[in-house]
Amino acid sequence: MPGRFPQVQQVYILRHPCGQFESWQRRGWKLEPAKLLQNRRLMEDHLHPFESLLSRASSFWERAGALWAAVTYVIHRQTEADKGRFIVAYEWLCDEPVARFRELYRRLGLAWSRKAEHFLHISDRPGDTRTYSLVRSSKMQVDVWKGRLRDDDIAACRGFVEPFELPYYPAFEPRVASMCGDQAYDNAGPVLPP
């Protein structure tokens, strides 16, 4: 795409795999990372080191970790080669929506507007539990999945994400201190990944 439209910038919103797939699981959506194995070019260009791992994923949370990591791995590699794309952590945006979206607008060279700010203010409140509602308490969305998942589900997902050695969500925690999610918070503040 950059060759045809060099002025276009892409924003890829990255969400912690447990947050993303807990939502998918509630909706009954299917995960089939093994289908990636059928795409020979994708496997040759990016995923060949993970062929065995992708084929071994069997439980829902193993498949979730494998699918999330494989897709994120490809996007990460392509983003390193194409500086026209920004990877932005969903949780980073949720932590301080107005300030963080304003920063994203600035980085993209977009004009911030009162309409955008107003939308963020009226959308950032609890109480609307409809499936596709745009009204949610942003801060609560960061790790709401932790109360819905068992520790062994989280561990299964993590076990299939970590072999990809991605820089996102250090220590597999959703609270992030950086736009792209490569720095985590601890009780004392931001912590750089090991």
Side-chain angles (χ1 to χ4, degrees), residues 17-31 59-61 63-64 145 148-150 153:
C18 290
Q20 178 178 341
F21 289 108
E22 185 274 332
S23 172
W24 286 35
Q25 187 178 46
R26 280 186 288 122
R27 285 164 184 72
W29 295 356
K30 303 295 180 214
L31 306 176
S59 75
F60 179 89
W61 286 103
R63 292 190 319 270
W145 53 267
R148 297 175 179 157
L149 295 183
R150 298 179 326 206
D153 293 335

Side-chain angles (χ1 to χ4, degrees), residues 17 21 25 29-34 36 53-70 156-157 160-161:
F21 289 108
Q25 187 178 46
W29 295 356
K30 303 295 180 214
L31 306 176
E32 298 183 44
L36 298 173
L53 184 74
L54 291 169
S55 64
R56 283 196 328 264
S58 60
S59 75
F60 179 89
W61 286 103
E62 289 174 348
R63 292 190 319 270
L67 182 59
W68 183 91
C157 183
F160 279 76
V161 169

Side-chain angles (χ1 to χ4, degrees), residues 47-78:
L47 298 176
H48 62 276
F50 309 103
E51 188 167 358
S52 173
L53 184 74
L54 291 169
S55 64
R56 283 196 328 264
S58 60
S59 75
F60 179 89
W61 286 103
E62 289 174 348
R63 292 190 319 270
L67 182 59
W68 183 91
V71 169
T72 303
Y73 182 80
V74 172
I75 290 167
H76 173 75
R77 286 177 56 131
Q78 292 175 340

Side-chain angles (χ1 to χ4, degrees), residues 12 15 38 64 66 73 88 90 113 117 140 148 159 163 174 176 181 190:
Y12 182 78
R15 188 171 186 190
Q38 298 168 9
Y73 182 80
V88 179
Y90 168 85
S113 70
E117 189 162 337
M140 289 177 61
R148 297 175 179 157
V176 294

Side-chain angles (χ1 to χ4, degrees), residues 165-172 177-178 180-185 190-194:
E165 298 180 347
L166 293 161
Y168 313 108
Y169 304 107
F172 211 62
S178 61
C180 69
D182 62 350
Q183 294 178 23
Y185 274 108
V191 176
L192 293 174

Side-chain angles (χ1 to χ4, degrees), residues 115-127:
K115 272 180 102 170
E117 189 162 337
H118 177 71
F119 174 79
L120 290 171
H121 280 298
I122 64 168
S123 301
D124 188 13
R125 56 190 162 87

Side-chain angles (χ1 to χ4, degrees), residues 106-141:
R106 185 191 67 73
R107 288 192 186 198
L108 293 169
L110 300 172
W112 182 251
S113 70
R114 288 180 188 226
K115 272 180 102 170
E117 189 162 337
H118 177 71
F119 174 79
L120 290 171
H121 280 298
I122 64 168
S123 301
D124 188 13
R125 56 190 162 87
D128 191 341
T129 59
R130 293 176 295 167
T131 300
Y132 297 105
S133 175
L134 297 178
V135 177
R136 302 255 193 257
S137 170
S138 298
K139 285 186 188 258
M140 289 177 61
Q141 298 310 302

